[in-house]
Amino acid sequence: MLTKKIAVLFSGGGSNLEAILERLHGKVFGQTKIEVALTLTNKANAGGIAKAAKYGLKSVVIEHVNFASREEFDAAVVEEIKRANVDLTVLAGFMRILTPVFTSQVRAINLHPSLLPLFKGAHAIKESFDSDMKVGGVSVHWVSEELDGGKIIAQRAFEKSAGISFEEFEAKIHAIEHEILPETIVQILTDKE
């Protein structure tokens, strides 16, 4: 059996990290066992740290505020990822704009809470909700030098019902995220390359 290792990078509560740990960590898909080998955050108070600890994982904390430049921060993150010797890096709510120091060295996917190429950046859920579009959705894409601009791997949409509140809209986005991200990871790691 093949073991494939992933790194998960997060900045906040870690609900997507938890979905990955719950659905994938230590589980077997066909002939492939998936292990989360590294959990890393840029915030010492990120809620995801406690979620990783429940699975016996000690998160690496590299606070971006301690670095003079984005490039220096990215270099430190890349070093940790390389040390973990992973097959795939997953950005699950990692709120950092990455430089070529990262993008040129790390095979990574990102979860984004809109139907890309629409609504890039940190305010995607609000912008998508406020738009005239009749659908909302989630994208998973390869990380590239362009913010939220890499090749799209998976997308899932839902109809924006009349009178839906922002909270309901956001909850729908998160529910889809918790399904589509683990599914996409399995698809990538078990694909006959």
Side-chain angles (χ1 to χ4, degrees):
M1 184 179 309
L2 206 55
T3 298
K4 295 275 182 124
K5 298 197 291 189
I6 61 173
V8 183
L9 279 50
F10 61 95
S11 294
S15 68
N16 282 297
L17 165 65
E18 190 169 39
I20 291 167
L21 289 166
E22 205 173 276
R23 295 170 189 212
L24 306 185
H25 185 52
K27 306 256 185 349
V28 177
F29 300 87
Q31 295 300 305
T32 306
K33 181 179 181 183
I34 297 177
E35 270 178 25
V36 177
L38 172 66
T39 54
L40 185 148
T41 182
N42 61 315
K43 300 208 167 151
N45 62 350
I49 295 170
K51 291 185 170 115
K54 283 196 285 189
Y55 289 83
L57 296 166
K58 186 173 175 5
S59 296
V60 174
V61 178
I62 302 177
E63 291 189 278
H64 61 275
V65 292
N66 297 333
F67 293 85
S69 69
R70 285 187 187 277
E71 288 77 10
E72 283 178 34
F73 169 76
D74 285 2
V77 172
V78 168
E79 196 177 305
E80 282 297 333
I81 291 168
K82 285 186 171 174
R83 189 176 302 139
N85 194 25
V86 298
D87 298 283
L88 182 69
T89 296
V90 180
L91 309 185
F94 190 60
M95 304 307 284
R96 299 292 302 152
I97 293 172
L98 297 161
T99 68
V101 170
F102 182 99
T103 58
S104 67
Q105 297 185 74
V106 176
R107 181 178 185 237
I109 62 172
N110 182 45
L111 176 68
H112 187 74
S114 78
L115 294 172
L116 290 172
L118 300 169
F119 315 116
K120 295 181 178 185
H123 307 290
I125 298 177
K126 181 87 176 91
E127 290 171 9
S128 174
F129 177 76
D130 290 341
S131 79
D132 288 340
M133 285 183 63
K134 301 300 178 206
V135 292
V138 174
S139 304
V140 180
H141 65 91
W142 289 105
V143 173
S144 70
E145 286 179 32
E146 183 192 341
L147 174 68
D148 298 329
K151 186 175 183 327
I152 295 167
I153 308 162
Q155 285 184 317
R156 196 161 297 156
F158 64 91
E159 209 165 306
K160 205 192 290 185
S161 52
I164 189 171
S165 72
F166 176 72
E167 291 70 26
E168 291 167 322
F169 183 80
E170 191 173 31
K172 247 184 160 55
I173 296 265
H174 293 318
I176 292 171
E177 287 178 338
H178 298 165
E179 289 173 9
I180 197 172
L181 186 57
E183 286 169 12
T184 305
I185 294 166
V186 170
Q187 179 196 319
I188 291 168
L189 294 181
T190 60
D191 196 24
K192 311 289 177 272
E193 292 181 39

